[in-house]
């Protein structure tokens, strides 16, 4: 039994435009008196008298609740960050320190938890994003005098902490960083904090439900109806777009849904759906209006209409909502002919659900309407329902969906594999290992391929990827996706196929997939580096991509 896997698009990047990073670095040194030591660059001190909101050194912070006798000056011969402390008796009552950040986002947190002068029997510090816990440092054995825990709970001497303490990245979705000091239940001693450091890294990750750039030039990423086409002559980024070119009553469209943990397509079930997509009309409807975009609910296929856009003869977009397909509004702006126009669309759920259409970043249509009680399930580009038997031609490219935000002036770029890495056990014939067998953009089925052996144990094959310096990329990497297409040749047996990203010693996998005899498109999307935090180009350059079969099944990749 042979299962064939088609990977014409190994990797794609969702790139956001480069924006200025909100610079913010703040070190807070806790002590009893402001003149006890000299703070460093981007640092200031915090006393028990600093109630929130205290503003000092362009930072806003302070105590919401505080132990009035908590400040201590310990040893100013030590590193300035360890010279003093704030202590909270572990009586079961916690005190709260708050710091206002300039924006939500990913921040680096460094800490010194301990006491330069005294043993403490129990340590408990919690960091929160307003009311949501980020992490807890709890040491039931406490710290001895002159020792400090870092942000990962590792113990260091006062001499070693400055050079060897480790920090951690956290994502805040509010601007309220909260530190609770003291155990929530009665314990011995006091919890003590000497230093808190916060540094802005980048924007908070935005979820990516799906990203489609049509870069495989066929239906490997999204199912298209009969009569649909993929264009290699008109596209916004990469090398392909989807072309909706209905002839009178024809209904060519492509359907975009969501992804399961195994990478399979699955109907979404999202109360709010935000869609970013680009359109390029070249021929408008000749009469009346015709459907060009629609969202259906997550119910039984094909789903019930929730929201759609039609185009009229002048090129305006008309929003319709609900199962009754009620006209909601007509756009003020007009997507120009033979020009790429960005659409950003929000579709809610409920009897008074929010909807929105932005055109090239400007709000155009918005309001509330009865959009049905069933969640959003399917996005369709093109003519799903024939409304007036009109022909038109519209190209679509660079679609990404989310529940939290739009993606602005983003692009989706295809990345090519550049070589075999290790392990590399899949063969392109009797004995060859050759990544070039699976580099074609439009899949060639079984003309070229890699194949695993039908033996026990995991059969792994990893690939290196193009360096970003070879691709003339600009902007920030928002997400990475790997796409595969697979089927089973014969019935019987159970495969266990996995798509894996590898970043150093860390990996990120799809769940195991047992394939049927029909082709299935598989995709793994990552919005964060497996090592944590937002993607950087250096992170990407160190990334490897692999395919794995865990069972005694012969698989084929082409």
């Amino acid at each position: 039994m042979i299962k064939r896997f088609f990977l014409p698009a190994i990797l794609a990047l969702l790139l956001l435009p480069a924006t200025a990073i909100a610079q913010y670095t703040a070190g807070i040194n806790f002590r009893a008196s402001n003149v006890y030591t000299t703070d460093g660059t981007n640092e200031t001190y915090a006393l028990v008298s600093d109630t929130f909101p205290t503003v000092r050194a362009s930072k806003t912070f302070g105590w919401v609740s505080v132990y009035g006798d908590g400040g201590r000056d310990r040893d100013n011969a030590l590193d300035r960050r360890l010279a003093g402390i704030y202590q909270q008796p572990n009586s079961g009552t916690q005190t709260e320190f708050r710091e206002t950040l300039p924006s939500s986002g990913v921040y680096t947190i460094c800490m010194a938890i301990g006491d330069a002068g005294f043993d403490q029997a129990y340590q408990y510090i919690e960091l929160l994003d307003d009311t949501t816990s980020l992490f807890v440092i709890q040491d039931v054995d406490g710290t001895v005098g002159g020792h400090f825990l870092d942000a990962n709970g590792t113990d260091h001497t006062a001499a070693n902490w400055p050079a060897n303490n480790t920090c951690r990245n956290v994502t805040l979705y509010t601007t309220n960083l909260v530190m609770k000091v003291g155990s929530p239940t009665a314990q011995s001693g006091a919890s003590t904090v000497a230093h808190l450091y916060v540094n802005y890294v980048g924007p908070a990750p935005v979820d990516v439900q799906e990203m489609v750039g049509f870069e495989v030039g066929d239906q490997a990423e999204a199912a298209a109806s009969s009569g649909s086409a993929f264009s290699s002559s008109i596209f916004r980024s990469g090398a392909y777009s989807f072309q909706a070119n209905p002839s009178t009553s024809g209904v060519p469209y492509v359907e975009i849904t969501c992804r399961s943990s195994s990478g399979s397509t699955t109907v979404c079930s999202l109360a709010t759906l935000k869609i970013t997509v680009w359109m390029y009309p070249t021929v408008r409807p000749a009469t009346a209006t015709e459907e060009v975009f629609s969202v259906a609910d997550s119910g039984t296929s094909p789903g019930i209409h929730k929201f759609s856009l039609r185009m009229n003869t002048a090129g305006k977009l008309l929003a319709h909502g609900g199962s009754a397909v009620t006209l909601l509004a007509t756009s003020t702006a007009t997507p120009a002919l033979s020009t790429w126009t960005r659409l950003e669309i929000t579709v809610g759920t409920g009897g008074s659900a929010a909807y929105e259409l932005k055109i090239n970043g400007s709000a155009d249509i918005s309001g509330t309407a009865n959009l049905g009680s069933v969640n959003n399930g399917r996005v369709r580009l093109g003519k799903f329902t024939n409304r007036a038997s009109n022909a038109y031609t519209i190209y679509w490219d660079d679609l990404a969906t989310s529940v939290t935000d739009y993606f602005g002036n983003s692009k989706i770029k295809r990345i090519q594999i550049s070589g075999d890495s290790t392990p590399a056990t899949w063969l392109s014939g009797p004995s060859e290992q050759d990544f070039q067998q699976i580099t074609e953009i439009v899949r060639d089925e079984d003309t070229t391929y890699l194949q695993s052996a039908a033996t026990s144990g995991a059969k792994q094959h990893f690939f290196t990827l193009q360096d970003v310096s070879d691709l003339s990329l600009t902007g920030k990497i928002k997400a990475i996706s790997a796409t595969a297409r697979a089927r089973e040749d014969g019935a019987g047996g159970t495969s266990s196929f996995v798509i894996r990203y590898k970043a150093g010693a860390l990996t990120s996998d799809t769940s195991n997939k047992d394939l049927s005899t029909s082709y299935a498109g598989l995709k793994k999307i990552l919005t964060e580096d497996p090592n944590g935090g937002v993607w950087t180009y250096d992170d990407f350059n160190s990334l490897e991509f692999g395919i794995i079969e865990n069972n005694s099944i012969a698989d084929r990749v082409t």
Side-chain angles (χ1 to χ4, degrees), residues 339-352:
T339 302
W340 285 106
T341 296
R342 183 171 88 241
L343 305 184
E344 293 167 318
I345 302 159
T346 295
V347 183
T349 298
S352 183

Side-chain angles (χ1 to χ4, degrees), residues 35-104:
V35 295
Y36 185 64
T37 190
T38 301
D39 298 303
T41 303
N42 294 319
E43 294 177 0
T44 189
Y45 59 88
L47 313 177
V48 294
S49 59
D50 292 330
T51 57
F52 184 83
T54 293
V55 179
R56 183 181 299 125
S58 301
K59 313 294 188 286
T60 301
F61 59 88
W63 295 98
V64 176
S65 58
V66 68
Y67 172 53
D69 194 30
R72 292 289 187 274
D73 295 333
R74 289 302 198 210
D75 186 349
N76 60 7
L78 297 177
D79 184 282
R80 67 197 181 278
R81 295 165 290 180
L82 310 179
I85 61 166
Y86 169 78
Q87 63 177 2
Q88 170 62 35
N90 290 317
S91 61
T93 298
Q94 295 176 297
T95 50
E96 181 179 310
F97 182 83
R98 183 176 291 257
E99 183 174 352
T100 300
L101 306 176
S103 68
S104 61

Side-chain angles (χ1 to χ4, degrees), residues 18 25 67 72 176 274 433 437 442 547:
T25 301
Y67 172 53
R72 292 289 187 274
N176 302 318
K274 292 179 177 287
Q433 298 171 354
Q437 300 297 315
V442 179
I547 50 177

Side-chain angles (χ1 to χ4, degrees), residues 2-204:
I2 295 175
K3 292 183 171 67
R4 294 193 176 95
F5 298 89
F6 301 95
L7 286 89
I10 293 297
L11 215 73
L13 299 182
L14 175 60
L15 294 166
L16 302 185
T19 56
I21 295 177
Q23 300 294 324
Y24 184 80
T25 301
I28 307 291
N29 300 320
F30 296 90
R31 54 182 186 259
S33 56
N34 63 330
V35 295
Y36 185 64
T37 190
T38 301
D39 298 303
T41 303
N42 294 319
E43 294 177 0
T44 189
Y45 59 88
L47 313 177
V48 294
S49 59
D50 292 330
T51 57
F52 184 83
T54 293
V55 179
R56 183 181 299 125
S58 301
K59 313 294 188 286
T60 301
F61 59 88
W63 295 98
V64 176
S65 58
V66 68
Y67 172 53
D69 194 30
R72 292 289 187 274
D73 295 333
R74 289 302 198 210
D75 186 349
N76 60 7
L78 297 177
D79 184 282
R80 67 197 181 278
R81 295 165 290 180
L82 310 179
I85 61 166
Y86 169 78
Q87 63 177 2
Q88 170 62 35
N90 290 317
S91 61
T93 298
Q94 295 176 297
T95 50
E96 181 179 310
F97 182 83
R98 183 176 291 257
E99 183 174 352
T100 300
L101 306 176
S103 68
S104 61
V106 178
Y107 286 83
T108 298
I109 304 290
C110 311
M111 301 188 74
I113 299 166
D115 191 324
F118 295 89
D119 296 351
Q120 297 295 345
Y122 191 97
Q123 294 282 4
Y124 191 101
I125 306 287
E126 182 177 15
L127 270 288
L128 302 95
D129 176 13
D130 198 17
T131 59
T132 301
S133 181
L134 296 170
F135 64 88
V136 173
I137 301 297
Q138 180 182 17
D139 193 330
V140 298
D141 296 321
T143 52
V144 300
H147 281 241
F148 295 87
L149 306 175
D150 64 20
N152 290 292
T154 303
D155 187 288
H156 304 271
T157 65
N160 288 335
W161 180 91
N164 297 301
N165 84 92
T166 60
C167 307
R168 65 197 298 171
N169 284 353
V170 297
T171 300
L172 286 93
Y173 293 94
T174 75
T175 58
N176 302 318
L177 178 65
V178 174
M179 179 177 67
K180 291 186 176 181
V181 185
S183 63
T185 59
Q187 304 290 340
S188 301
S191 294
T192 53
V193 59
H195 175 74
L196 173 65
Y197 170 91
V198 182
N199 181 65
Y200 180 80
V201 176

Side-chain angles (χ1 to χ4, degrees), residues 206-228:
V206 176
D207 71 288
V208 180
Q209 298 295 323
E210 179 61 293
M211 50 185 279
V212 180
F214 306 107
E215 291 312 305
V216 296
D218 59 23
Q219 299 187 49
E221 286 188 284
S225 66
S226 176
S228 299

